Amino acid sequence: MDWIPKTRLGQMVLNGEVTTMSDALETRLPLREAEIVDILLPDLKDEVIDLNMVQRMTDSGRRVRFAVTCIVGNGDGFIGIGRAKGKEVGPSIKKAIDNAKLNIIEVKRGCGSWECGCGQPHTLPFEVVGRTGSVTVFLKPAPRGISLAVGDVAKSLLTLAGVQDAWGFARGNTKTKVNYAMATFEALKMTARMRVTEEQAKELNIVPGPVGIKLTEIDFSKEE
């Protein structure tokens, strides 16, 4: 990979001083190069959430631009969202994906549902709330087997973040997909910001970032 890092974090990744995305985020150094995410999360997947054509009248005529919102995630504890505008669809999508990589966060998962107690990090460890514009999103832990009882936009983000089960509802103008997606992202960001004690982490089996095994590989049909 012919990449010459321009930031301190990029140099640390290239030199092998930082080997995981969790370590990169723990450095608190700004993430300004998408190549860092490409190296640390090679199995990253992306999805276009919203694609709009924006028209503007000028003295020279009508100008058309495209506004794109994309999400990226590895399905195992990392999720990012990004937006971009451009004259062409392809470059705009690529730019939005790169912006999503620069906004990537680490999501805490656990077994926060009192109805479950399976000990697997398959859902959220606690209830979280996210707000963007008029949209407010509430996400709650659910017992295993419930799957994602949320809207389509929130389901896309939770799936790429590696959350297997969750309850959720939203208030406001959820037809605005961008605000709905951003509010869901803000809710997931709260899992990283919320401080938990060692006792709580052990009780709810709270795991930040990857769990070492894809949740799709866990056999949830077996009872503990």
Side-chain angles (χ1 to χ4, degrees):
M1 183 179 182
D2 297 330
W3 169 54
I4 301 177
K6 300 178 181 179
T7 62
R8 183 183 172 189
L9 180 58
Q11 292 172 354
M12 294 173 67
V13 171
L14 195 63
N15 295 334
E17 299 176 41
V18 175
T19 57
T20 66
M21 198 67 225
S22 298
D23 293 339
L25 295 176
E26 285 180 1
T27 63
R28 302 295 181 182
L29 293 173
L31 183 60
R32 294 175 178 168
E33 296 178 271
E35 290 83 359
I36 295 174
V37 182
D38 293 333
I39 292 175
L40 300 180
L41 296 175
D43 56 345
L44 206 65
K45 298 180 180 179
D46 56 76
E47 182 179 340
V48 177
I49 290 294
D50 187 61
L51 174 59
N52 279 328
M53 185 175 66
V54 182
Q55 297 184 6
R56 179 183 177 187
M57 287 299 299
T58 63
D59 295 338
S60 59
R62 191 185 304 272
R63 292 181 57 186
V64 178
R65 292 169 64 87
F66 296 93
V68 185
T69 303
C70 292
I71 56 175
V72 297
N74 69 335
D76 194 21
F78 292 100
I79 183 73
I81 188 169
R83 302 184 64 195
K85 293 182 181 180
K87 297 180 181 179
E88 299 180 11
V89 177
S92 299
I93 293 176
K94 185 179 183 305
K95 186 177 179 181
I97 291 174
D98 287 342
N99 290 338
K101 291 176 181 178
L102 301 182
N103 291 326
I104 204 158
I105 60 171
E106 190 176 49
V107 178
K108 284 191 180 78
R109 291 167 293 168
C111 184
S113 174
W114 62 271
E115 300 173 278
C116 188
C118 67
Q120 297 286 351
H122 63 99
T123 185
L124 301 168
F126 35 72
E127 181 180 352
V128 288
V129 181
R131 297 181 178 86
T132 299
S134 67
V135 181
T136 303
V137 172
F138 302 83
L139 298 176
K140 299 181 179 181
R144 64 181 186 179
I146 292 295
S147 190
L148 298 174
V150 295
D152 291 338
V153 173
K155 184 178 294 185
S156 297
L157 273 84
L158 292 173
T159 299
L160 284 184
V163 178
Q164 196 82 0
D165 305 284
W167 276 314
F169 64 95
R171 294 175 180 169
N173 187 12
T174 55
K175 292 183 179 180
T176 308
K177 288 186 178 180
V178 176
N179 284 352
Y180 191 8
M182 292 297 296
T184 305
F185 182 72
E186 288 298 321
L188 291 174
K189 191 183 292 186
M190 289 300 298
T191 66
R193 292 177 178 174
M194 193 80 71
R195 294 183 179 181
V196 295
T197 64
E198 292 185 8
E199 183 179 347
Q200 291 172 327
K202 185 179 295 185
E203 180 182 355
L204 302 177
N205 195 25
I206 298 176
V207 178
V211 298
I213 180 174
K214 299 292 184 181
L215 290 177
T216 53
E217 298 175 0
I218 299 175
D219 188 2
F220 286 102
S221 62
K222 296 181 180 180
E223 296 294 331
E224 297 292 324

